[in-house]
Each structure stands twice: as structure tokens, then as C-alpha cells.
């Protein structure tokens, strides 16, 4: 008869990894993993403001799936580790506070993840008087949409009625405010938004973001017949000493562009620079320069180079001149009329369905911290009166004081 | 120089005098010098208070916006809490040995960065959250500064005896008081981050952008979160935590004033567009 194997020492109930679920649970709720994750998130955060900075940090770290995955794991792991450790302790204010705090941490990250799947964040650029459909991705300059965002949420259209500069509310200067009309058909909501006041329609928010000048250009033939007209939005390029250059071009600097723009056939290359009047809004001078379209054919860089501010490499323009707003400029067999100056604005359009959970969690977290703090002080004071050793009642035994 | 500036520099000078009195008084174990340090600190605080008041009265906005103003507020709050602690317990008088040199250096630094206050509050700042934010930040900083001072007291007292050392509270009390200040500071700093998030959400539509100011705040907040775990979860006490509190406050100072203000700050004024904008067809 073979003797029965001596039983191995029994594990405490509920602690043994019994199936894959249990095993996963015990791995996720291990304090070592939680601490390792916390240190990893800290290290990535520090790297994101030292080694990589600004835009690069966003691309390389903060926007990536792995970093956000790390955050989710941290939330899960710290939440579970915490709960496993403190479960069943005596109900005290400090204990409730700690539970509220760590659960809110879970709520916060849950909200962030949920939001990242369903959110929408874009910039809608409109010149005064212009209307664009909200549901058409082509209306936006930049779009960041969550995997499961449904464009059908963005109903109706948006019109920029007017941009107000130095907009005052109860005597306070809000600088720029956008008067917008949003909605479908006749049911339009007209609202003036500024930096601390946004419009929330059906969970879609409209916020001020950026603004600039658009110059109205009318192209005529030599007899004055109108061939084409457009508002040309200008860049605001920093020129040192806090000055801005308002000109056609890109982030890299001023440049010309085909006019009329594609898909219409180009008639000439045009460079527009606006010098605002110091006293009067929407007035001032406009510097114009033109090149024949053939300048494009030499090299693709010709458009960039065809720039009066661009230095030695630029082919000289065929015609240049400065006219006041409202004036007309003769460019060979063409006439260019600077009809007016308007503002264009970039409206940030956002849908963040996780926001309520996120903001509630933030407040709950603060409340939890406050409760723990008050609870600890209270325990301390009680203990002080009783003259005990000064050890927190629900803390492990102190390690050595080295 | 106007009254406000004169008072500002008087405060810096008095804090300098107080810092020296504390440090030399402690080295020489001279109680009278420590008392002199406290008197100079109280006078400096009065000048500091009136200088902030005068700046506020003379400006159309509030004087807590620029880096120099932020430093002046942080040190002001630290001195207020320091003096409150002094008023409630005589035992911790030598706390000034740490607090005053730091306050003196920070306020002196603020003096070199002074600019005229803005005539208008930037629109993004015109929110009640501003108040919650700066109050949370300045009290949070003050609390962890005091905690670091208590940490230094702990390290100085531990294992030593002598006239000055014997008067200090017991190491257990210093340790526990230090923890309270860290926990309170952590809470206030949390308030600063939460109010900042709500405020950014209101102004920019996003509560968190991982921008340098936010990330550095998070890092310094987590550093104190780790302190709390070392104490509560791992049972750390005494020397190691005292060292931790001392090092952490310097990280806090660098992350709070050193780095964020050199990075690009929150949008201001008439904003700049940098992207390529293709022309839009048709005005009629
Ligand atoms: C790595 C993940 C985390 C784990 C494993 C964890 C675990 C714990 C545990 C077990 C406690 C209770 C200590 C005890 O009484 O035994 C606790 C308390 C606490 N935790 Fe965490 N936690 C984590 C993340 C965080 C984070 C990120 C924060 C915020 C910075 C935080 C803030 C707190 C606070 C404020 C307390 C109360 C401390 C006190 O009583 O003063 N925890 N945590």
C-alpha cells in the first residue's frame, strides 16, 4: 500500500491561484506590479518633459496606445491591490476616504479610456459670413476622433456671423469673441462664445481657439470683368519683438499660392500680405505680388521661393504693389481688387462623453483625500489623548528608523 | 522706487537678517538669536503683507499672476503658516533654520524677476477657478516646505542632545507632525491640479493636455503620493522619510517655479496661427 502523500500546507482560502482568472487576478493585484507600473508612468512623464518635449512628447509618448495602456493597467492594478489589502478593515473615516480616493482613481482612468474611444476633437475654420456643414470631415482643419465616434452626432451646420475684438463682458476684456449660429434649418442657436464661455449643444461643445485675417481678393480681366473672387485666410507669423506678419504662406514662412486655387485652373501666383491700420479695425494696406503660373513649372519649390521676403533664391515677382483695403492693383493684363478684410476663426469643436465621469472622479478623489486627512488627524488626536505609541492603527508595523 | 517696491525689498532684507539669526543662533545654541530671528521674520512678514497689499491696491487686476508674483505669494503663505506654527508651539522655534533661508532666497529671486503687473487679466484667467488654483498651490507648497523643515529638525535632533536639541519636540512628534503637513500639502496640491483641470476644460475644452506645466505638477504630486505610501503602506518612519521630505521640497520648487515658467505658457492674447491655410472659395 502506498502511503498517502502528506498534504502540502494549506493556503488561506481565496488566496490560491486556482484558474487562469484567479492567476490573472493575483498578478494584477500584486503590489509589485502596481509599484512597477507607477514608476514606469512617472519615468515616462519625466521623459516626456525632458528628453522629448512639446509636440514630440505627445507623439512619442502621451498619445500612444502603449502609454495609455500603461495608465489603464496602473488604474486596474492599483485599485485592486488597494482593495485586496484594505478590504475588511475597521470602518473609519480615513478608511472610507482611502477607498473613495482609489476608486475615484479607477473612475478617472475609466472615464479617460471611455472618452478616448468616443470623443471628437477638431478645428472648424470659418471666415466671417461663411457656413460649413458640421457632419462633413472636410469642414475641419484638423480632426482627432475616437475609434467609435459617429459623425452622425455632428448635425446641422455652423456659421460664423462675426468675430468681435476686445469684447467686453461686465467690464472685463475677453479679447476675442465669436458670434456663431449652429443648428439645422431654421432651428439655429445663435451664441457669442469667448474664452471662458463656450456653447454646448447636444453634448457637442464649441470653443474659441484661434483667429486671423482673411483678405477678399477679386480677380478681374483688363476690362474689369470679374473672373474669380475669394477670401484668402492669412497666416500670423511671429516676426520677433512681439510683431506678427500677416501673410499667405505656411508654418515655414510666407509664400505665394495659385490663384484661383485648385480645383479651378490657376491664372497667376499670388502673395498677399496685410498690414493692419493701427487705429481702425479691418482697414490698412495690402501688399500684393504676382508671378506667372509658369514660375511653378521650374521646380516644386518655386512657389515657396516666390516670396518677396524669401531672400536671394526667390525669382523676382512680375508685379508688386501696395494698395489700401478697397483699392485695385494692376498686374499686367489682370486687375486685383482688395475688396475687404474679415476675420477668420478656428473654432474648437469637441465631444467628450467621458467628461462627466472624469470630472466627478476628480472631485470624489479630492473628497476622499480630505476625508483621509481629517480621519488621520482625528485618530491622532484621540490617540494623543490616550497617550499611545503614535503608530497608525491600521498601518503595518513600522520598519526600523535608520 | 515706490512704496510697494521699498517694502518688498525691506521684506527680503528682514528675511535675510532672520535667516542668518536662525542659522547662527542654532549653531551657537543661542536662544536669544533665535528669538531675534523670529522677530525679524515677523517684521519681514508685515512688510511683505503690506507690499502685496499695496501692489494689489495699485493694480487693476490681482498681483498673483507673473512668476515673481507667484513666488511672492508662495513665500507669503509659507511665512503665514510658519508664524502660525510658531504661535501655537514654542518648541519648534528652530524651524526657521530651514524655512527662512528658503523663503529669503525665493523672495530675493522673485525680486530679480519683477515686472509691472498686467493692466488686464488675460481672458483665460478671468475665472473663479484662478482663486482655488493659486490658493491650493500656495498652501500646498507652504505645507510641504514646513514638512521639510520638520524633517530637518528630526535629522538634527535624532541622536543628539544639548540645550537646543532637548527643547525640540520628540522625534516621534516631529515625525508625525511632518506627516500631517505632507498629507495636508498633498491635499491642497491635489486641489490645485483638480481646479486647474476644470479650469482648462472650461477655457480650452480639455482638462488635461500633458503639457509641461501639467506633467511637472503631476510628477511632484506623485512624489508626495509615494511619501504617503512609504509611510502608510510600507511603514517607513523617521530618518528616511525626513530625508525624503527634504529632497522632495527642492524637486517641488524646481517643478513649480523653475521649469513651468520657462516653458511655453497658457495661451495669451491674440493667438497665432501656424498651419497652412488653403484659401477658401467664394465670398458671394
Ligand atoms: C501603485 C498603485 C497604488 C497602490 C498599490 C496603492 C495602495 C494603497 C494602499 C494599500 C493604501 C492604504 C495604506 C494602508 O492603510 O495600508 C493607500 C493609501 C493611500 N493612497 Fe494609494 N495606492 C496606489 C496609488 C496611489 C496614487 C497614484 C495615489 C495618488 C498620488 C495614492 C494616494 C493614496 C493616499 C492619499 C492614501 C492615504 C494615505 C494616508 O492615509 O495618508 N495612491 N494606497
Amino acid at each position: 500500500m502506498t502511503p498517502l502523500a502528506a498534504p502540502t500546507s494549506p493556503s488561506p482560502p481565496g488566496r490560491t491561484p486556482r484558474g487562469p482568472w484567479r492567476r490573472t487576478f493575483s498578478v494584477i493585484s500584486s503590489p509589485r506590479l502596481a509599484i512597477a507600473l507607477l514608476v514606469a508612468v512617472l519615468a515616462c512623464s519625466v521623459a516626456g518633459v525632458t528628453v522629448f518635449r512639446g509636440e514630440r512628447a505627445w507623439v512619442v509618448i502621451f498619445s500612444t496606445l502603449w502609454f495609455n495602456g500603461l495608465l489603464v493597467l496602473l488604474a486596474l492594478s492599483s485599485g485592486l491591490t488597494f482593495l485586496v489589502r484594505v478590504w475588511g478593515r475597521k470602518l473609519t473615516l480615513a478608511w472610507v476616504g482611502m477607498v473613495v480616493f482609489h476608486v475615484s482613481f479607477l473612475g478617472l482612468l475609466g472615464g479617460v479610456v471611455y472618452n478616448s474611444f468616443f470623443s471628437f476633437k477638431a478645428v472648424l475654420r470659418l471666415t466671417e459670413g461663411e457656413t460649413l456643414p458640421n457632419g462633413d470631415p472636410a469642414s475641419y482643419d484638423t480632426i482627432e476622433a475616437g475609434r467609435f465616434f459617429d459623425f452622425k452626432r455632428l448635425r446641422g451646420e455652423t456659421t460664423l456671423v462675426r468675430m468681435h475684438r476686445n469684447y467686453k463682458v461686465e467690464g472685463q476684456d475677453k479679447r476675442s469673441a465669436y458670434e456663431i449660429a449652429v443648428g439645422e434649418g431654421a432651428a439655429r442657436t445663435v451664441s457669442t462664445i469667448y474664452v471662458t464661455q463656450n456653447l454646448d449643444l447636444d453634448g457637442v461643445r464649441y470653443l474659441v481657439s484661434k483667429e486671423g485675417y482673411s483678405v477678399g481678393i477679386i480677380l478681374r480681366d483688363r476690362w474689369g470683368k470679374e473672373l474669380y473672387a475669394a477670401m484668402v485666410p492669412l497666416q500670423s507669423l511671429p516676426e520677433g519683438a512681439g510683431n506678427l506678419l500677416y501673410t499667405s504662406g505656411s508654418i515655414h514662412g510666407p509664400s505665394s499660392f495659385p490663384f484661383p486655387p485648385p480645383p479651378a485652373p490657376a491664372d497667376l501666383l499670388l502673395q498677399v500680405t496685410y498690414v493692419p491700420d493701427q487705429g481702425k479695425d479691418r482697414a490698412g494696406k495690402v501688399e500684393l505680388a504676382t508671378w506667372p503660373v509658369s514660375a511653378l513649372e521650374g521646380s516644386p519649390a518655386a512657389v515657396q521661393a516666390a516670396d518677396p521676403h524669401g531672400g536671394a533664391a526667390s525669382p523676382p515677382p512680375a508685379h508688386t504693389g501696395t494698395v489700401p483695403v478697397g483699392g485695385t492693383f494692376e498686374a499686367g493684363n489682370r486687375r486685383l481688387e482688395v475688396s475687404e478684410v474679415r476675420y477668420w476663426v478656428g473654432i474648437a469643436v469637441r465631444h467628450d462623453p467621458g467628461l462627466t465621469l472624469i470630472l466627478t472622479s476628480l472631485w470624489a478623489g479630492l473628497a476622499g483625500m480630505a476625508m483621509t486627512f481629517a480621519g488621520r488627524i482625528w485618530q491622532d488626536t484621540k490617540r494623543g489623548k490616550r497617550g499611545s505609541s503614535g503608530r497608525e492603527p491600521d498601518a503595518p508595523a513600522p520598519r526600523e528608523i535608520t | 522706487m515706490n512704496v510697494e517696491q521699498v517694502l518688498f525689498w525691506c521684506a527680503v532684507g528682514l528675511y535675510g537678517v532672520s535667516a542668518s539669526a536662525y542659522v547662527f543662533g542654532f549653531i551657537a545654541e543661542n536662544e536669544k538669536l533665535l528669538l531675534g530671528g523670529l522677530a525679524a521674520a515677523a517684521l519681514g512678514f508685515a512688510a511683505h503683507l503690506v507690499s502685496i497689499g499695496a501692489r494689489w491696491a495699485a493694480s487693476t487686476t490681482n498681483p498673483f499672476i507673473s512668476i515673481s508674483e507667484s513666488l511672492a505669494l508662495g513665500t507669503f503663505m509659507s511665512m503665514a503658516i510658519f508664524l502660525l506654527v510658531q504661535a501655537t508651539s514654542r518648541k519648534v522655534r528652530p524651524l526657521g533654520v530651514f524655512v527662512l533661508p528658503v523663503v529669503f532666497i525665493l523672495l530675493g529671486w522673485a525680486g530679480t524677476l519683477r515686472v509691472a503687473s498686467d493692466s488686464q487679466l488675460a481672458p483665460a484667467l478671468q475665472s473663479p477657478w484662478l482663486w482655488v488654483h493659486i490658493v491650493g498651490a500656495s498652501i500646498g507648497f507652504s505645507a510641504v516646505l514646513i514638512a521639510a523643515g520638520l524633517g530637518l529638525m528630526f535629522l538634527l535632533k535624532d541622536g543628539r542632545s544639548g540645550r537646543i536639541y532637548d527643547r525640540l519636540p520628540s522625534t516621534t512628534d516631529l515625525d508625525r507632525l511632518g506627516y500631517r503637513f505632507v498629507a495636508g500639502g498633498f491635499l491642497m496640491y491635489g486641489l490645485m491640479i483638480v481646479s486647474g483641470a476644470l479650469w482648462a476644460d472650461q477655457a480650452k475644452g480639455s482638462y488635461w493636455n500633458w503639457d509641461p506645466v501639467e506633467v511637472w505638477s503631476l510628477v511632484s504630486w506623485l512624489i508626495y503620493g509615494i511619501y504617503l505610501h512609504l509611510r502608510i503602506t510600507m511603514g517607513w518612519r523617521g530618518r528616511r522619510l525626513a530625508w525624503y521630505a527634504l529632497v522632495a521640497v527642492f524637486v517641488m520648487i524646481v517643478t513649480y517655479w523653475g521649469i513651468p515658467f520657462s516653458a511655453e505658457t497658457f495661451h495669451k492674447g491674440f493667438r497665432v496661427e501656424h498651419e497652412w491655410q488653403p484659401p477658401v472659395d467664394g465670398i458671394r
Side-chain angles (χ1 to χ4, degrees), chain A residues 323-346:
Chain A
V323 295
V325 173
T328 298
F329 167 73
E330 302 285 341
N333 61 354
R334 292 287 184 253
R335 275 193 221 165
L336 288 166
E337 184 186 328
V338 177
S339 58
E340 61 178 322
V341 169
R342 294 186 192 177
Y343 286 100
W344 64 257
V345 307

Side-chain angles (χ1 to χ4, degrees), chain A residues 303-328:
Chain A
V303 189
Q304 283 286 333
D307 156 27
H309 302 268
S314 310
H319 304 276
T320 57
T322 302
V323 295
V325 173
T328 298

Side-chain angles (χ1 to χ4, degrees), chain B residues 28-224:
Chain B
E29 300 198 22
N30 182 330
E31 289 278 352
K32 282 213 180 102
L33 261 179
L34 290 185
L35 201 61
L38 180 59
L43 278 176
F45 180 72
H48 196 163
L49 172 72
V50 181
S51 101
I52 291 182
R55 190 175 175 89
W56 203 342
S59 78
T60 47
T61 64
N62 70 65
F64 308 118
I65 306 300
S66 67
I67 173 166
S68 146
E69 292 170 336
S70 159
L71 278 161
L73 179 67
T75 48
F76 173 79
M77 212 55 111
S78 303
M79 285 306 296
I81 295 181
F82 168 74
L83 290 173
L84 208 68
V85 172
Q86 296 293 320
T88 47
S89 165
R90 269 205 221 161
K91 281 182 150 185
V92 282
R93 183 151 303 152
L95 194 56
V97 172
F98 180 76
V99 174
L100 270 127
V102 175
V103 164
F104 167 62
I105 291 169
L106 288 182
L107 197 64
W109 177 35
T112 65
L113 301 170
R114 278 164 69 85
V115 286
S117 50
D118 280 342
S119 59
Q120 270 281 348
L121 203 54
L125 306 181
Q126 295 165 9
S127 158
W129 290 119
L130 172 71
W131 291 104
V132 183
H133 199 63
I134 59 181
V135 167
S138 55
I139 296 185
F141 165 71
S142 311
V144 296
L145 180 70
I146 303 278
L150 289 164
L152 183 67
M153 294 301 100
F154 182 101
L155 294 171
L156 290 172
K157 165 144 184 153
D158 195 27
R160 286 196 188 85
S161 60
R163 236 182 333 163
I164 284 231
Y165 301 110
D166 294 345
R167 293 242 184 116
L168 278 169
S170 71
T171 45
T172 315
D173 284 347
L174 283 170
D175 180 64
R176 194 177 329 144
L177 203 56
Y179 158 65
R180 283 192 190 185
F181 273 99
V182 167
F186 180 74
L187 170 63
M188 294 316 276
Y189 215 59
L191 182 65
M192 178 205 84
I193 294 180
V194 169
S195 60
L198 289 159
W199 185 13
D201 180 59
Q202 188 190 46
K204 296 197 275 192
S206 58
Y207 49 87
W208 193 261
N209 285 305
W210 293 105
D211 77 21
V213 179
E214 292 167 350
V215 177
W216 280 117
S217 308
L218 181 70
V219 168
S220 45
W221 187 64
L222 287 178
I223 285 174
Y224 283 100

